[in-house]
Amino acid sequence: MSVQARARIVATRDGGLPVLESAGPLALRRTRADGAHTRVTVVGAMSAPLGGDRLAIEAQVREGARLYVDSAAATVALPGRAPEPAVYEITLDVADDAEVRWLPEPLISARGSELRMRTSVRLAPTARLVLREEQILGRHGEETGSLTSRLTVLRAGRPLLDQELAYGPAAPEGWDGPAVLGGHRAVGQLLIVDPEFEKHPARTRQFGTSAVLTPLAGPAVLVTAVAPDALALRRILDTALSAGSDSGNG
């Protein structure tokens, strides 16, 4: 039987979490604070998402709040009995002078699975965001499942970023070609939004041969990377996070 579950987070300026609602396989736990940020860890309570599942996490970060969200382990998309694809939706609503650091562990697309991942972010004009996405195409020694990932970001009600990526058997032909992944099996991106970029614009920068930091048309930078495995990908994105944060601070 397919699972439908929606977990919710509300964070406030004083470090409070007036809403911290777990649901189904999405168990939310308040964990030790990371500096000034209130920290929430997503703990998988069961195997998910499976085919046909519809999972969602909603986070509302109120004015002046600081929220850090991570996960206890990688999320593994698995085939299920239902023929429909699984759907996993993340919605972040970030108020003025608030900040979200959304840094989960990777998503692994197992052979035979089909997942549609959607992340929607709404930022107030002075909100800040650090968002990392990492996708591992197949477990060790196996082919990838089908994965479609869409990221949409609005800032002050205007589009900042809207992109969709697709991999695996259900993706358009050429997804694994030299112009896209070139045989790599780990792909990721890092988005940093900070009003400080308006004062200190970032410059395009390359990290090795498989990652690049690109300024967006707004106070933001986007890092895109491919790598042979999850460890190499994380190292690249960690380096890029340091570089991007330093750019925003001048």
Side-chain angles (χ1 to χ4, degrees), residues 24-35:
L26 302 171
L28 306 180
R29 301 288 183 264
R30 181 167 190 159
T31 48
R32 182 174 296 180
D34 183 84

Side-chain angles (χ1 to χ4, degrees), residues 94-177:
V94 191
D96 274 314
D97 194 35
E99 179 177 338
V100 172
R101 298 176 68 86
W102 190 270
L103 301 170
E105 293 303 302
L107 168 66
I108 300 173
S109 179
R111 180 174 58 191
S113 66
E114 185 175 358
L115 175 65
R116 296 175 183 172
M117 182 84 183
R118 301 170 186 162
T119 302
S120 302
V121 184
R122 295 186 295 269
L123 301 173
T126 58
R128 295 177 297 279
L129 171 72
V130 177
L131 183 147
R132 181 182 68 211
E133 292 186 335
E134 298 170 309
Q135 290 106 21
I136 311 303
L137 306 180
R139 294 171 291 192
H140 181 70
E142 75 172 8
E143 298 175 355
T144 182
S146 294
L147 173 63
T148 300
S149 176
R150 183 171 182 178
L151 173 60
T152 304
V153 182
L154 299 178
R155 178 177 180 266
R158 301 180 63 183
L160 178 66
L161 177 66
D162 189 350
Q163 70 174 21
E164 183 172 287
L165 306 171
Y167 312 105
E173 187 176 351
W175 65 271
D176 198 24

